[in-house]
Amino acid sequence: MAMAGADEILVLGGVQAVVAMAVGTQTIAPVDMLVGPGNMYVAEAKRQLYGRVGIDLFAGPTETLVIADDSADGEMCAVDLLGQAEHGPTSPAILLTTSEQLAHDTMAEIERQLKVLPTAAIAAVSWAEYGEVIVCDTQEEMLEKANELAFEHVQVLTRDPDYFLAHMTNYGALFLGPRTNVSFGDKVIGTNHTLPTNRNARYTGGLWVGKFLKTCTYQKVLTDEASALMGEYCSRLCHMENFAGHGEQANLRVRRYGTRAEVPWYQPVPALS
């Protein structure tokens, strides 16, 4: 962070960090925007503070979708599902496949791995409550279902992973082929990993530099004629909406900068004495 140019670095985390940065303390100045991932408590703290500060997006429990065909194996599918299910007891992990054999192999492998995984106490609850295996007839059906689910992490273990890169529209991040995985994205691969959950990928992507940019506009009417002409249109619209004060803003410009002495559809506000 220092090498990237951060001028203040706080070594803290959790809800207390979120509140301290949003509200401020005796030693921490309040900020304008909070971004980044966190557990369910951090997400709730950000939700409650939204408005007082800006945030990147509302993020729920992490979620993982593995898309696989018969070129994949049950061990890798199980590892990649449980590797994310250990995040917490409410983290969905779903296998989407065209191979019924792979579906059975993966479920059997998950049961085996849960007997030896050190975080099985968490992952087992998540798998039991939120895990799914969905068998589709075709690759196209898998694509349709994946776009409907709009998951945060989507791992593609198929013969042609680029098919999903070319056709998928609703996802937080894609991980293409067996050589990559969600854990790489979490820890080392370099791309941003604050991503939409809860089907929010239908309308937004993850955190990026644009989240830190503001769109500010300005207006300046350059001629008397333009101000008067726009004033006439504006005045009619205000009249239709029964906004007399708005209308008088327009009418004043019509009278002052145009050729009309008065605007027929409005009675002007009496001038101050």
Side-chain angles (χ1 to χ4, degrees):
M1 288 187 290
M3 292 173 63
D7 53 20
E8 185 175 353
I9 300 172
L10 308 173
V11 184
L12 70 165
V15 171
Q16 58 271 30
V18 174
V19 177
M21 289 186 288
V23 178
T25 71
Q26 291 179 333
T27 56
I28 300 174
V31 302
D32 297 317
M33 187 171 184
L34 292 170
V35 302
N39 60 23
M40 67 181 77
Y41 305 106
V42 168
E44 175 61 17
K46 287 171 64 178
R47 187 190 68 81
Q48 292 192 29
L49 289 164
Y50 177 58
R52 182 167 187 151
V53 294
I55 66 170
D56 42 7
L57 69 165
F58 295 111
T62 191
E63 53 195 26
T64 294
L65 175 68
V66 174
I67 302 174
D69 58 19
D70 59 6
S71 67
D73 63 84
E75 180 185 21
M76 182 172 286
C77 290
V79 164
D80 291 343
L81 290 166
L82 292 180
Q84 295 303 304
E86 72 177 6
H87 266 289
T90 59
S91 293
I94 294 180
L95 172 65
L96 188 60
T97 182
T98 50
S99 169
E100 189 171 344
Q101 182 62 53
L102 179 63
H104 288 290
D105 291 347
T106 299
M107 288 188 287
E109 185 65 21
I110 285 176
E111 294 306 313
R112 185 191 70 81
Q113 292 182 23
L114 283 174
K115 295 176 182 177
V116 296
L117 186 69
T119 54
I122 298 173
V125 174
S126 180
W127 175 249
E129 298 295 330
Y130 296 94
E132 292 184 52
V133 175
I134 302 171
V135 179
C136 297
D137 290 328
T138 64
Q139 181 173 252
E140 291 72 24
E141 186 182 358
M142 286 200 298
L143 173 66
E144 181 181 357
K145 188 63 178 178
N147 276 325
E148 177 187 328
L149 291 169
F151 258 34
E152 176 188 18
H153 307 115
V154 179
Q155 189 159 332
V156 184
L157 303 176
T158 63
R159 288 185 179 82
D160 182 18
D162 287 344
Y163 169 82
F164 291 90
L165 175 62
H167 294 91
M168 273 196 73
T169 55
N170 300 340
Y171 58 89
L174 284 178
F175 301 85
L176 303 171
R179 295 174 185 83
T180 188
N181 60 76
V182 178
S183 184
F184 284 3
D186 277 333
K187 309 300 181 184
V188 295
I189 212 163
T191 54
N192 166 66
H193 216 66
T194 303
L195 302 167
T197 61
N198 296 318
R199 298 189 69 229
N200 292 341
R202 291 171 297 127
Y203 60 83
T204 189
L207 178 62
W208 70 296
V209 67
K211 294 284 187 180
F212 300 93
L213 302 178
K214 294 189 297 183
T215 302
C216 301
T217 64
Y218 69 92
Q219 298 81 41
K220 184 178 182 180
V221 180
L222 296 177
T223 67
D224 291 352
E225 293 78 11
S227 181
L229 180 60
M230 283 195 292
E232 292 187 20
Y233 285 111
C234 181
S235 179
R236 294 187 185 98
L237 290 170
C238 295
H239 182 61
M240 292 166 61
E241 295 178 352
N242 199 30
F243 275 166
H246 284 66
E248 188 58 20
Q249 285 182 271
N251 296 340
L252 178 62
R253 272 68 182 183
V254 173
R255 296 194 301 270
R256 185 164 296 184
Y257 300 119
T259 58
R260 290 177 181 267
E262 60 183 36
V263 181
W265 51 85
Y266 251 87
Q267 292 295 319
V269 175
L272 294 174
S273 57

